[in-house]
Amino acid sequence: MNAITHEELGDPETLTRIRQYEMAFRMQASVPELTDINQEPEHIFKLYGEEARKPGSFANTTLMARRLAERGVRFIQVYHNNWDHHSNVGGRMPDQCQDVDQPCHALITDLKERGMFDDTLIIWGGEFGRTPMGQGDGRDHHIKGFSYIMAGAGIPGGQKHGATDELGYAAVDGVVHVRDLHATMLHLMGIDHAQLRYEFRGLDLRLAGVEPARVLHDVIG
C-alpha cells in the first residue's frame, strides 16, 4: 500500500517509511537465530561458565552481548543489579563478584580471539561508588571517588589512572569528570565532542555537556 501511495504521489518520505518497516522486520526476524545460544560450541560455555546457559544470568547476557556485537549492533548494555549494598556487604559482595569475574574475562578473551577487541570499547562501572566508611554493615551512595574499567578500542592494558585520598573518600590525583569520560568515548568513536553541538535556549549543548571536557589521551594512548 505504501508503494502504491508512492507511485501516486511521488513523496520520498514514503520510501523512507518502507525502508523503516523493512529494517524493523529484518531486526525481528533475526532474533530467533541471535538468541539461540545452543549454536555455540562447548568451549565457549567452558570459557564463560555454565551460568551462560541460564537465561538472564550475567554470564548469559555477556555472551549475548558478544553475539550482538559480531552481528553489527553498535551499542550494547549489560546490566547486573543488586550492587546497592546499604547492608550485608560481607554476605552479598562475594556472590556479586563471582557473577561477573569469569564472564568479564571471557568476553575480553572471546573478542580477542575473534579479532574484534581493538574495534570494541568495553566500559565497566556504575553511576556512583560506595562510601569508604560504614553504614551499619553496608555502604552508602558516594560520588566523590569511584572507579571505571575500560578495555579494548586500542587502549593499552595493565594501567591504572588516578587515586583517592588516604581514606578513599575523594579523588585527588588524575581526577576524571564524567564529561571527560564522555569526551573520551566520543573520541574513540571518531567524534570530536567540541564540534558535535547545537544551540538550545541560549546554551551551546554537547553530548559531553556545556562545560569544558577533555579527552583522556594519557589513558587511551
mmCIF file of all heavy atoms in Angstrom, residues 41-81:
data_model
loop_
_atom_site.group_PDB
_atom_site.id
_atom_site.type_symbol
_atom_site.label_atom_id
_atom_site.label_comp_id
_atom_site.label_asym_id
_atom_site.label_seq_id
_atom_site.Cartn_x
_atom_site.Cartn_y
_atom_site.Cartn_z
ATOM 1 N N PRO A 41 29.689 -23.454 20.408
ATOM 2 C CA PRO A 41 30.431 -24.682 20.711
ATOM 3 C C PRO A 41 30.679 -24.835 22.211
ATOM 4 O O PRO A 41 30.598 -23.871 22.967
ATOM 5 C CB PRO A 41 31.739 -24.493 19.940
ATOM 6 C CG PRO A 41 31.875 -23.019 19.754
ATOM 7 C CD PRO A 41 30.478 -22.488 19.642
ATOM 8 N N GLU A 42 31.003 -26.040 22.620
ATOM 9 C CA GLU A 42 31.154 -26.345 24.040
ATOM 10 C C GLU A 42 32.260 -25.520 24.695
ATOM 11 O O GLU A 42 32.138 -25.132 25.870
ATOM 12 C CB GLU A 42 31.444 -27.841 24.213
ATOM 13 C CG GLU A 42 31.344 -28.334 25.650
ATOM 14 C CD GLU A 42 29.947 -28.163 26.234
ATOM 15 O OE1 GLU A 42 28.966 -28.199 25.457
ATOM 16 O OE2 GLU A 42 29.847 -27.998 27.467
ATOM 17 N N HIS A 43 33.335 -25.226 23.953
ATOM 18 C CA HIS A 43 34.438 -24.490 24.586
ATOM 19 C C HIS A 43 34.019 -23.076 24.980
ATOM 20 O O HIS A 43 34.615 -22.470 25.882
ATOM 21 C CB HIS A 43 35.666 -24.453 23.668
ATOM 22 C CG HIS A 43 35.561 -23.471 22.544
ATOM 23 N ND1 HIS A 43 35.043 -23.793 21.308
ATOM 24 C CD2 HIS A 43 35.905 -22.156 22.463
ATOM 25 C CE1 HIS A 43 35.078 -22.732 20.516
ATOM 26 N NE2 HIS A 43 35.594 -21.731 21.195
ATOM 27 N N ILE A 44 32.987 -22.522 24.342
ATOM 28 C CA ILE A 44 32.501 -21.198 24.709
ATOM 29 C C ILE A 44 31.830 -21.233 26.085
ATOM 30 O O ILE A 44 32.000 -20.323 26.906
ATOM 31 C CB ILE A 44 31.525 -20.655 23.643
ATOM 32 C CG1 ILE A 44 32.278 -20.298 22.377
ATOM 33 C CG2 ILE A 44 30.758 -19.443 24.170
ATOM 34 C CD1 ILE A 44 33.291 -19.177 22.538
ATOM 35 N N PHE A 45 31.101 -22.311 26.360
ATOM 36 C CA PHE A 45 30.461 -22.430 27.672
ATOM 37 C C PHE A 45 31.488 -22.704 28.767
ATOM 38 O O PHE A 45 31.292 -22.317 29.921
ATOM 39 C CB PHE A 45 29.382 -23.510 27.639
ATOM 40 C CG PHE A 45 28.206 -23.149 26.774
ATOM 41 C CD1 PHE A 45 28.007 -23.774 25.552
ATOM 42 C CD2 PHE A 45 27.325 -22.169 27.169
ATOM 43 C CE1 PHE A 45 26.931 -23.436 24.753
ATOM 44 C CE2 PHE A 45 26.246 -21.827 26.379
ATOM 45 C CZ PHE A 45 26.048 -22.453 25.159
ATOM 46 N N LYS A 46 32.570 -23.347 28.427
ATOM 47 C CA LYS A 46 33.650 -23.511 29.404
ATOM 48 C C LYS A 46 34.323 -22.174 29.670
ATOM 49 O O LYS A 46 34.745 -21.885 30.795
ATOM 50 C CB LYS A 46 34.673 -24.526 28.880
ATOM 51 C CG LYS A 46 34.152 -25.950 28.830
ATOM 52 C CD LYS A 46 35.220 -26.917 28.340
ATOM 53 C CE LYS A 46 34.697 -28.348 28.303
ATOM 54 N NZ LYS A 46 35.724 -29.289 27.793
ATOM 55 N N LEU A 47 34.399 -21.328 28.623
ATOM 56 C CA LEU A 47 35.026 -20.018 28.758
ATOM 57 C C LEU A 47 34.182 -19.091 29.626
ATOM 58 O O LEU A 47 34.691 -18.468 30.567
ATOM 59 C CB LEU A 47 35.235 -19.392 27.373
ATOM 60 C CG LEU A 47 35.905 -18.014 27.317
ATOM 61 C CD1 LEU A 47 37.333 -18.090 27.852
ATOM 62 C CD2 LEU A 47 35.889 -17.490 25.883
ATOM 63 N N TYR A 48 32.891 -18.993 29.327
ATOM 64 C CA TYR A 48 32.005 -18.083 30.057
ATOM 65 C C TYR A 48 31.479 -18.690 31.357
ATOM 66 O O TYR A 48 30.992 -17.964 32.231
ATOM 67 C CB TYR A 48 30.812 -17.689 29.182
ATOM 68 C CG TYR A 48 31.136 -16.665 28.120
ATOM 69 C CD1 TYR A 48 31.679 -17.052 26.896
ATOM 70 C CD2 TYR A 48 30.908 -15.304 28.319
ATOM 71 C CE1 TYR A 48 31.979 -16.124 25.911
ATOM 72 C CE2 TYR A 48 31.193 -14.367 27.344
ATOM 73 C CZ TYR A 48 31.734 -14.777 26.133
ATOM 74 O OH TYR A 48 32.025 -13.850 25.160
ATOM 75 N N GLY A 49 31.528 -20.005 31.475
ATOM 76 C CA GLY A 49 30.998 -20.676 32.654
ATOM 77 C C GLY A 49 29.626 -21.267 32.392
ATOM 78 O O GLY A 49 28.901 -20.834 31.497
ATOM 79 N N GLU A 50 29.259 -22.266 33.179
ATOM 80 C CA GLU A 50 27.980 -22.954 32.987
ATOM 81 C C GLU A 50 26.788 -22.027 33.177
ATOM 82 O O GLU A 50 25.704 -22.280 32.649
ATOM 83 C CB GLU A 50 27.879 -24.148 33.939
ATOM 84 C CG GLU A 50 28.672 -25.360 33.488
ATOM 85 C CD GLU A 50 28.218 -25.854 32.114
ATOM 86 O OE1 GLU A 50 26.978 -26.053 31.941
ATOM 87 O OE2 GLU A 50 29.057 -26.036 31.229
ATOM 88 N N GLU A 51 26.966 -20.932 33.925
ATOM 89 C CA GLU A 51 25.866 -19.989 34.116
ATOM 90 C C GLU A 51 25.434 -19.357 32.795
ATOM 91 O O GLU A 51 24.325 -18.830 32.686
ATOM 92 C CB GLU A 51 26.283 -18.882 35.097
ATOM 93 C CG GLU A 51 26.210 -19.280 36.554
ATOM 94 C CD GLU A 51 24.768 -19.390 37.046
ATOM 95 O OE1 GLU A 51 24.029 -18.394 36.979
ATOM 96 O OE2 GLU A 51 24.388 -20.491 37.492
ATOM 97 N N ALA A 52 26.303 -19.407 31.796
ATOM 98 C CA ALA A 52 25.965 -18.826 30.493
ATOM 99 C C ALA A 52 24.789 -19.542 29.843
ATOM 100 O O ALA A 52 24.135 -18.979 28.956
ATOM 101 C CB ALA A 52 27.177 -18.864 29.568
ATOM 102 N N ARG A 53 24.515 -20.760 30.251
ATOM 103 C CA ARG A 53 23.361 -21.497 29.713
ATOM 104 C C ARG A 53 22.051 -21.044 30.351
ATOM 105 O O ARG A 53 20.968 -21.383 29.867
ATOM 106 C CB ARG A 53 23.535 -23.000 29.953
ATOM 107 C CG ARG A 53 24.792 -23.613 29.342
ATOM 108 C CD ARG A 53 24.824 -25.103 29.587
ATOM 109 N NE ARG A 53 26.093 -25.706 29.254
ATOM 110 C CZ ARG A 53 26.422 -26.158 28.040
ATOM 111 N NH1 ARG A 53 25.538 -26.062 27.062
ATOM 112 N NH2 ARG A 53 27.603 -26.695 27.825
ATOM 113 N N LYS A 54 22.136 -20.285 31.438
ATOM 114 C CA LYS A 54 20.952 -19.886 32.199
ATOM 115 C C LYS A 54 20.474 -18.514 31.751
ATOM 116 O O LYS A 54 21.153 -17.515 31.983
ATOM 117 C CB LYS A 54 21.292 -19.864 33.694
ATOM 118 C CG LYS A 54 20.133 -19.476 34.585
ATOM 119 C CD LYS A 54 20.579 -19.470 36.036
ATOM 120 C CE LYS A 54 19.441 -19.018 36.946
ATOM 121 N NZ LYS A 54 19.877 -18.974 38.372
ATOM 122 N N PRO A 55 19.311 -18.424 31.092
ATOM 123 C CA PRO A 55 18.803 -17.128 30.628
ATOM 124 C C PRO A 55 18.682 -16.117 31.770
ATOM 125 O O PRO A 55 18.222 -16.445 32.862
ATOM 126 C CB PRO A 55 17.417 -17.469 30.064
ATOM 127 C CG PRO A 55 17.511 -18.916 29.692
ATOM 128 C CD PRO A 55 18.409 -19.534 30.727
ATOM 129 N N GLY A 56 19.151 -14.901 31.497
ATOM 130 C CA GLY A 56 19.052 -13.840 32.490
ATOM 131 C C GLY A 56 20.241 -13.718 33.404
ATOM 132 O O GLY A 56 20.371 -12.714 34.116
ATOM 133 N N SER A 57 21.126 -14.715 33.432
ATOM 134 C CA SER A 57 22.324 -14.604 34.259
ATOM 135 C C SER A 57 23.295 -13.622 33.627
ATOM 136 O O SER A 57 23.216 -13.308 32.436
ATOM 137 C CB SER A 57 22.992 -15.973 34.413
ATOM 138 O OG SER A 57 23.519 -16.407 33.157
ATOM 139 N N PHE A 58 24.241 -13.105 34.416
ATOM 140 C CA PHE A 58 25.220 -12.173 33.878
ATOM 141 C C PHE A 58 26.062 -12.841 32.797
ATOM 142 O O PHE A 58 26.358 -12.238 31.764
ATOM 143 C CB PHE A 58 26.132 -11.646 34.995
ATOM 144 C CG PHE A 58 27.117 -10.618 34.526
ATOM 145 C CD1 PHE A 58 26.730 -9.295 34.352
ATOM 146 C CD2 PHE A 58 28.431 -10.971 34.248
ATOM 147 C CE1 PHE A 58 27.644 -8.342 33.902
ATOM 148 C CE2 PHE A 58 29.353 -10.032 33.804
ATOM 149 C CZ PHE A 58 28.952 -8.714 33.634
ATOM 150 N N ALA A 59 26.435 -14.090 33.010
ATOM 151 C CA ALA A 59 27.230 -14.812 32.016
ATOM 152 C C ALA A 59 26.452 -14.963 30.712
ATOM 153 O O ALA A 59 27.004 -14.818 29.615
ATOM 154 C CB ALA A 59 27.629 -16.183 32.553
ATOM 155 N N ASN A 60 25.158 -15.248 30.818
ATOM 156 C CA ASN A 60 24.323 -15.407 29.631
ATOM 157 C C ASN A 60 24.216 -14.100 28.859
ATOM 158 O O ASN A 60 24.341 -14.078 27.625
ATOM 159 C CB ASN A 60 22.938 -15.898 30.049
ATOM 160 C CG ASN A 60 21.985 -16.029 28.879
ATOM 161 O OD1 ASN A 60 21.231 -15.114 28.579
ATOM 162 N ND2 ASN A 60 22.011 -17.176 28.211
ATOM 163 N N THR A 61 23.978 -12.988 29.560
ATOM 164 C CA THR A 61 23.825 -11.709 28.872
ATOM 165 C C THR A 61 25.158 -11.217 28.306
ATOM 166 O O THR A 61 25.181 -10.529 27.287
ATOM 167 C CB THR A 61 23.226 -10.651 29.809
ATOM 168 O OG1 THR A 61 23.967 -10.609 31.035
ATOM 169 C CG2 THR A 61 21.788 -10.980 30.144
ATOM 170 N N THR A 62 26.257 -11.580 28.943
ATOM 171 C CA THR A 62 27.567 -11.205 28.413
ATOM 172 C C THR A 62 27.846 -11.947 27.110
ATOM 173 O O THR A 62 28.339 -11.364 26.134
ATOM 174 C CB THR A 62 28.675 -11.497 29.437
ATOM 175 O OG1 THR A 62 28.378 -10.828 30.657
ATOM 176 C CG2 THR A 62 30.023 -11.013 28.934
ATOM 177 N N LEU A 63 27.535 -13.229 27.090
ATOM 178 C CA LEU A 63 27.667 -14.000 25.852
ATOM 179 C C LEU A 63 26.739 -13.435 24.774
ATOM 180 O O LEU A 63 27.116 -13.327 23.602
ATOM 181 C CB LEU A 63 27.347 -15.466 26.115
ATOM 182 C CG LEU A 63 27.291 -16.397 24.895
ATOM 183 C CD1 LEU A 63 28.589 -16.346 24.102
ATOM 184 C CD2 LEU A 63 26.980 -17.825 25.329
ATOM 185 N N MET A 64 25.530 -13.063 25.167
ATOM 186 C CA MET A 64 24.588 -12.475 24.214
ATOM 187 C C MET A 64 25.127 -11.161 23.675
ATOM 188 O O MET A 64 24.918 -10.822 22.496
ATOM 189 C CB MET A 64 23.244 -12.257 24.890
ATOM 190 C CG MET A 64 22.077 -12.104 23.934
ATOM 191 S SD MET A 64 21.684 -13.652 23.085
ATOM 192 C CE MET A 64 21.054 -14.630 24.451
ATOM 193 N N ALA A 65 25.818 -10.400 24.516
ATOM 194 C CA ALA A 65 26.415 -9.136 24.071
ATOM 195 C C ALA A 65 27.439 -9.381 22.967
ATOM 196 O O ALA A 65 27.498 -8.638 21.979
ATOM 197 C CB ALA A 65 27.070 -8.423 25.253
ATOM 198 N N ARG A 66 28.253 -10.430 23.131
ATOM 199 C CA ARG A 66 29.210 -10.748 22.062
ATOM 200 C C ARG A 66 28.501 -11.126 20.774
ATOM 201 O O ARG A 66 28.899 -10.720 19.682
ATOM 202 C CB ARG A 66 30.143 -11.871 22.525
ATOM 203 C CG ARG A 66 31.318 -12.118 21.578
ATOM 204 C CD ARG A 66 30.960 -13.179 20.534
ATOM 205 N NE ARG A 66 30.936 -14.495 21.141
ATOM 206 C CZ ARG A 66 30.324 -15.535 20.594
ATOM 207 N NH1 ARG A 66 29.658 -15.418 19.466
ATOM 208 N NH2 ARG A 66 30.351 -16.716 21.198
ATOM 209 N N ARG A 67 27.407 -11.890 20.881
ATOM 210 C CA ARG A 67 26.659 -12.288 19.694
ATOM 211 C C ARG A 67 26.041 -11.059 19.006
ATOM 212 O O ARG A 67 25.987 -10.982 17.784
ATOM 213 C CB ARG A 67 25.576 -13.298 20.069
ATOM 214 C CG ARG A 67 26.139 -14.657 20.507
ATOM 215 C CD ARG A 67 25.035 -15.618 20.972
ATOM 216 N NE ARG A 67 24.089 -15.943 19.926
ATOM 217 C CZ ARG A 67 24.274 -16.890 19.006
ATOM 218 N NH1 ARG A 67 25.382 -17.624 19.019
ATOM 219 N NH2 ARG A 67 23.344 -17.143 18.079
ATOM 220 N N LEU A 68 25.581 -10.099 19.797
ATOM 221 C CA LEU A 68 25.059 -8.862 19.228
ATOM 222 C C LEU A 68 26.163 -8.076 18.524
ATOM 223 O O LEU A 68 25.975 -7.572 17.413
ATOM 224 C CB LEU A 68 24.433 -8.003 20.333
ATOM 225 C CG LEU A 68 23.078 -8.442 20.870
ATOM 226 C CD1 LEU A 68 22.778 -7.744 22.194
ATOM 227 C CD2 LEU A 68 21.971 -8.140 19.869
ATOM 228 N N ALA A 69 27.319 -7.977 19.183
ATOM 229 C CA ALA A 69 28.425 -7.192 18.622
ATOM 230 C C ALA A 69 28.908 -7.764 17.301
ATOM 231 O O ALA A 69 29.178 -7.015 16.345
ATOM 232 C CB ALA A 69 29.576 -7.129 19.625
ATOM 233 N N GLU A 70 29.020 -9.081 17.213
ATOM 234 C CA GLU A 70 29.521 -9.666 15.976
ATOM 235 C C GLU A 70 28.506 -9.597 14.848
ATOM 236 O O GLU A 70 28.849 -9.821 13.692
ATOM 237 C CB GLU A 70 29.980 -11.110 16.209
ATOM 238 C CG GLU A 70 28.892 -12.098 16.528
ATOM 239 C CD GLU A 70 29.445 -13.499 16.772
ATOM 240 O OE1 GLU A 70 30.599 -13.759 16.379
ATOM 241 O OE2 GLU A 70 28.722 -14.328 17.367
ATOM 242 N N ARG A 71 27.268 -9.222 15.189
ATOM 243 C CA ARG A 71 26.235 -9.036 14.164
ATOM 244 C C ARG A 71 26.010 -7.568 13.835
ATOM 245 O O ARG A 71 25.051 -7.206 13.168
ATOM 246 C CB ARG A 71 24.927 -9.705 14.611
ATOM 247 C CG ARG A 71 24.991 -11.226 14.516
ATOM 248 C CD ARG A 71 23.936 -11.889 15.373
ATOM 249 N NE ARG A 71 23.960 -13.347 15.205
ATOM 250 C CZ ARG A 71 24.852 -14.152 15.771
ATOM 251 N NH1 ARG A 71 25.791 -13.656 16.552
ATOM 252 N NH2 ARG A 71 24.813 -15.461 15.563
ATOM 253 N N GLY A 72 26.895 -6.717 14.348
ATOM 254 C CA GLY A 72 26.882 -5.316 13.949
ATOM 255 C C GLY A 72 26.133 -4.362 14.843
ATOM 256 O O GLY A 72 25.989 -3.185 14.497
ATOM 257 N N VAL A 73 25.639 -4.813 16.003
ATOM 258 C CA VAL A 73 24.964 -3.898 16.920
ATOM 259 C C VAL A 73 26.003 -2.928 17.488
ATOM 260 O O VAL A 73 27.048 -3.345 17.978
ATOM 261 C CB VAL A 73 24.250 -4.665 18.047
ATOM 262 C CG1 VAL A 73 23.611 -3.700 19.038
ATOM 263 C CG2 VAL A 73 23.195 -5.599 17.460
ATOM 264 N N ARG A 74 25.702 -1.631 17.429
ATOM 265 C CA ARG A 74 26.698 -0.610 17.732
ATOM 266 C C ARG A 74 26.843 -0.303 19.218
ATOM 267 O O ARG A 74 27.905 0.107 19.672
ATOM 268 C CB ARG A 74 26.334 0.682 16.982
ATOM 269 C CG ARG A 74 26.236 0.525 15.476
ATOM 270 C CD ARG A 74 27.598 0.268 14.860
ATOM 271 N NE ARG A 74 28.506 1.369 15.027
ATOM 272 C CZ ARG A 74 28.562 2.439 14.226
ATOM 273 N NH1 ARG A 74 27.734 2.538 13.195
ATOM 274 N NH2 ARG A 74 29.429 3.391 14.435
ATOM 275 N N PHE A 75 25.760 -0.421 19.979
ATOM 276 C CA PHE A 75 25.814 -0.103 21.410
ATOM 277 C C PHE A 75 25.051 -1.174 22.174
ATOM 278 O O PHE A 75 23.905 -1.479 21.836
ATOM 279 C CB PHE A 75 25.192 1.270 21.695
ATOM 280 C CG PHE A 75 25.222 1.658 23.145
ATOM 281 C CD1 PHE A 75 26.317 2.320 23.675
ATOM 282 C CD2 PHE A 75 24.168 1.337 23.993
ATOM 283 C CE1 PHE A 75 26.355 2.667 25.021
ATOM 284 C CE2 PHE A 75 24.199 1.670 25.337
ATOM 285 C CZ PHE A 75 25.297 2.346 25.841
ATOM 286 N N ILE A 76 25.687 -1.742 23.188
ATOM 287 C CA ILE A 76 25.094 -2.840 23.959
ATOM 288 C C ILE A 76 25.291 -2.546 25.440
ATOM 289 O O ILE A 76 26.402 -2.215 25.874
ATOM 290 C CB ILE A 76 25.762 -4.182 23.606
ATOM 291 C CG1 ILE A 76 25.669 -4.455 22.099
ATOM 292 C CG2 ILE A 76 25.129 -5.319 24.394
ATOM 293 C CD1 ILE A 76 26.684 -5.445 21.599
ATOM 294 N N GLN A 77 24.242 -2.681 26.222
ATOM 295 C CA GLN A 77 24.348 -2.542 27.669
ATOM 296 C C GLN A 77 24.051 -3.873 28.333
ATOM 297 O O GLN A 77 23.023 -4.497 28.054
ATOM 298 C CB GLN A 77 23.378 -1.484 28.207
ATOM 299 C CG GLN A 77 23.434 -1.353 29.725
ATOM 300 C CD GLN A 77 22.399 -0.383 30.271
ATOM 301 O OE1 GLN A 77 21.520 0.078 29.538
ATOM 302 N NE2 GLN A 77 22.482 -0.072 31.545
ATOM 303 N N VAL A 78 24.950 -4.298 29.198
ATOM 304 C CA VAL A 78 24.725 -5.478 30.034
ATOM 305 C C VAL A 78 24.529 -4.975 31.458
ATOM 306 O O VAL A 78 25.410 -4.328 32.024
ATOM 307 C CB VAL A 78 25.924 -6.447 29.973
ATOM 308 C CG1 VAL A 78 25.704 -7.610 30.938
ATOM 309 C CG2 VAL A 78 26.120 -6.961 28.559
ATOM 310 N N TYR A 79 23.375 -5.249 32.006
ATOM 311 C CA TYR A 79 23.019 -4.728 33.333
ATOM 312 C C TYR A 79 23.050 -5.853 34.364
ATOM 313 O O TYR A 79 22.495 -6.927 34.138
ATOM 314 C CB TYR A 79 21.616 -4.104 33.285
ATOM 315 C CG TYR A 79 21.127 -3.594 34.614
ATOM 316 C CD1 TYR A 79 21.698 -2.474 35.204
ATOM 317 C CD2 TYR A 79 20.092 -4.245 35.287
ATOM 318 C CE1 TYR A 79 21.250 -1.999 36.430
ATOM 319 C CE2 TYR A 79 19.626 -3.781 36.506
ATOM 320 C CZ TYR A 79 20.209 -2.652 37.073
ATOM 321 O OH TYR A 79 19.759 -2.193 38.288
ATOM 322 N N HIS A 80 23.701 -5.567 35.475
ATOM 323 C CA HIS A 80 23.751 -6.537 36.571
ATOM 324 C C HIS A 80 23.357 -5.813 37.850
ATOM 325 O O HIS A 80 24.058 -4.906 38.293
ATOM 326 C CB HIS A 80 25.165 -7.121 36.696
ATOM 327 C CG HIS A 80 25.255 -8.256 37.659
ATOM 328 N ND1 HIS A 80 26.040 -8.218 38.785
ATOM 329 C CD2 HIS A 80 24.654 -9.474 37.670
ATOM 330 C CE1 HIS A 80 25.930 -9.360 39.444
ATOM 331 N NE2 HIS A 80 25.097 -10.129 38.791
ATOM 332 N N ASN A 81 22.235 -6.183 38.431
ATOM 333 C CA ASN A 81 21.713 -5.408 39.559
ATOM 334 C C ASN A 81 22.208 -5.945 40.894
ATOM 335 O O ASN A 81 23.088 -6.799 40.968
ATOM 336 C CB ASN A 81 20.175 -5.382 39.510
ATOM 337 C CG ASN A 81 19.569 -6.754 39.737
ATOM 338 O OD1 ASN A 81 20.278 -7.737 39.950
ATOM 339 N ND2 ASN A 81 18.250 -6.837 39.697
#
